[in-house]
């Protein structure tokens, strides 16, 4: 069965061009980039070229890029670097809607003596900037706020937060895993200190990510080991995946316009089609300040998991809450932070598109989903009550 | 130019069979293993199968395996898990000849208040087991001793150390990155608590490793994030590389006998050929207690880097000291710990073979290296003096 893949915020297909770029590094150019022999040394040069390509995507200098194994490692690296560089400051700030890579680490730090301020969002998922401003103190070691939310797609005002943090001399890190490749991300213009990104969200391979660290920013390594990445991240360089991430970065840069036009139009067509065809369907997230590829819709009185299972029979792939919290019966912490009612949060579905999606796929989903929702509601004891109430 | 690759302790060629196993996960089965849809869920089952294969290589249970991004991450995970599980104990033990992934982290911990005992080795690289035994205390949180040394190839008495640690209730971790796939490694029989291994040392891909954690052992995660690896390691599962590591584990298990016979014979032929043909050449490392694929020879009065460069012209790949410390002008810390004299340590070359090496390749190196050493010695001011002294 052909699949209709609309789960690109969870992970993406490796672009065949990226795979082609990676292939030589497995069985031919397999040397260790740190070796003295030219067989390995050549790989070192290819890694340098990949670093330049990635830097070009976010307007960084190559020396500001540290390759890591994933977005989670980039986040851990950034957060530990900030607090180890400011050992006397015991207050850290983040939002209520961060990815588990930041959220769970902050919760861990809260248990080890850090005071954590969780910045709220409003019902449209927009960050409370005044709250954030009022909680910046001389004791604040770090502000970590994601560039765009993985579930709602809402984009946060990173440049403004960077200004606020810089004024107070506070380190500012942003998890931009969902933003990079979907909207322009310019570290120079924004002025933040550290930024996380991941290969497999931009049609690169899984198992590789990067951390931007502003030149001059204090840093201490998370993964302590060999001299790789100029002593900033130990471990043999993952040459195939790094070269793949470099190639994916070039592609992503070239796709930004299409993301903002064709993919955005596809997303809008999907969203409007579903909202028009299905009663008691609510959009989650501020309509305009969103990633162009993401829509998150709550279908009241049904279970997201049941919707996913029935869509699965048609090969339609999407998510209920974040893929990273699947397996849990709790409603998404992001939707709860937005105050989405329990009955709606449980029935929320996130569709996340890519440049590979087509209008035909969108129309297929708009055709197949309404009868699925209707059938599930027929089976729901809550729906009849809602029907009565709505009459 | 064809290369003669004898640097398999630095990294190995991905076996084409391994690459074939990985390929579908880039552009076809690219779903997120944690997704609710069957497209992603199928990948989750393939990861489970890879976990079984890897467990089979070291006689662990699948649930005792945590996939990581590399040996360095496995080491960091183990070391932090041990000290976080024993927060009141402030003494940790390791050897003087560990890989930088352990050595540098211990040096970092020494700066943060840990007392570190560095167990010495003798001039043949054999661990001083009595020294280790005498330094185990009630305040010891962790003993971390590598299974086999990456530079000398010397194998350490892991089962004995595990017994000693267990008697005192001390956590024992072993970096077995160099041992796995070269000699039998049986975690059940040995009785250690944690063991690190790496994919790219056993003809799997770079960017993936694993940590064995004995069932029932205390653990706390190093990479805090999502629920992956049952909450023990956050980050989207690197499905292609994990499947590759599973396939490589099967191959490695099948190659163990060949390692002990054909590869060992090749290594001996190389070693004897070089020692016979080249005067003032000294074997580093206990002759019998070594990995079957490794030989480390010091060529007195010449520079290892110069030897590597001249071998490079014939396509011969080997290492001077550890690849992970290349770029440094310091002699290897392993050879210094063994008391190898300065003039010999600087001229040491490690050849590390694999099942892909042939007798013709060995004979090629035995033919090409003696004139290289002779030529370099002609240029060396130290050699004439040595020549005089030796007469």
């Amino acid at each position: 069965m052909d699949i209709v893949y609309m789960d690109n915020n969870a992970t993406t297909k490796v672009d065949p061009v990226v795979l082609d770029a990676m292939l030589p590094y497995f069985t031919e150019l397999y040397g260790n980039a740190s070796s003295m022999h030219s067989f390995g040394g050549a790989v070192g040069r290819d890694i340098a070229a990949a670093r330049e390509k990635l830097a070009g995507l976010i307007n960084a200098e190559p020396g500001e890029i540290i390759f890591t194994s994933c977005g989670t490692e980039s986040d851990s690296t950034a957060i530990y670097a900030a607090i180890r560089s400011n050992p006397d400051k015991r207050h850290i700030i983040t939002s209520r809607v961060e990815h588990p890579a930041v959220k769970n680490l902050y919760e861990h730090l809260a248990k080890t003596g850090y005071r954590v301020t969780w910045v709220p969002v409003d019902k449209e998922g927009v960050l409370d900037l005044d709250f954030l401003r009022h909680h910046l103190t001389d004791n604040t070691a770090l502000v970590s706020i994601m560039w765009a939310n993985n579930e709602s797609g809402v984009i946060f005002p990173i440049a403004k937060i960077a200004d606020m943090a810089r004024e107070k001399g506070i380190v500012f890190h942003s998890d931009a895993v969902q933003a990079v490749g979907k909207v322009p991300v310019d570290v120079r213009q924004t002025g933040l200190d550290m930024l996380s990104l991941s290969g497999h969200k931009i049609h690169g391979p899984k198992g590789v990510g990067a951390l931007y660290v502003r030149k001059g920013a204090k840093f201490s390594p998370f993964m302590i080991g060999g001299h790789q990445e100029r002593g900033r991240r130990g471990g043999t360089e993952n040459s195939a995946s790094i070269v793949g991430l470099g190639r994916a970065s070039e592609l992503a840069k070239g796709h930004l316009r299409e993301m903002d036009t064709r993919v955005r139009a596809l997303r809008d067509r999907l969203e409007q089609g579903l909202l028009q065809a299905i009663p008691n369907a609510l959009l989650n997230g501020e309509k305009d300040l969103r990633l162009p590829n993401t829509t998150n819709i709550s279908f009241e009185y049904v279970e997201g998991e049941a919707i996913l299972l029935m869509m699965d029979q048609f090969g339609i792939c999407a998510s209920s809450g974040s893929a990273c919290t699947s397996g849990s019966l709790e409603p998404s912490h992001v939707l709860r932070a937005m105050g989405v009612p329990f009955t709606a949060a449980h029935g929320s579905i996130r569709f996340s598109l890519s440049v590979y999606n087509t209008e035909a796929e969108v129309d297929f989903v708009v055709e197949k989903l309404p009868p699925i929702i209707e059938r599930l509601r027929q089976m729901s004891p809550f729906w009849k009550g809602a029907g009565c109430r709505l009459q």
Side-chain angles (χ1 to χ4, degrees), chain A residues 20-39:
Chain A
D20 280 349
M22 295 171 65
L23 281 179
Y25 299 88
F26 293 109
T27 56
E28 298 158 40
L29 304 174
Y30 56 86
N32 191 316
S34 300
S35 298
M36 278 289 294
H37 42 73
S38 55
F39 179 64

Side-chain angles (χ1 to χ4, degrees), chain A residues 332-349:
Chain A
S332 143
H333 74 283
V334 174
L335 298 178
R336 278 182 289 155
M338 292 164 66
V340 177
F342 196 77
T343 47
H346 265 293
S348 77
I349 298 290

Side-chain angles (χ1 to χ4, degrees), chain A residues 8 11 63 117 201 213 269 275 288 293 375 387:
Chain A
N8 288 280
T11 194
T117 296
K201 308 287 191 190
V213 180
R269 183 185 181 96
L275 291 174
D288 297 320
N293 79 317
R375 196 174 145 202

Side-chain angles (χ1 to χ4, degrees), chain A residues 35 48 128 141 156 167 209 240 257 284 299 301 319 327 361 364 376:
Chain A
S35 298
D128 188 338
F156 291 156
E167 261 178 38
R257 180 177 294 270
N284 296 313
F299 303 100
Y301 308 108
S319 273
E361 289 178 328
F364 181 77
L376 288 172

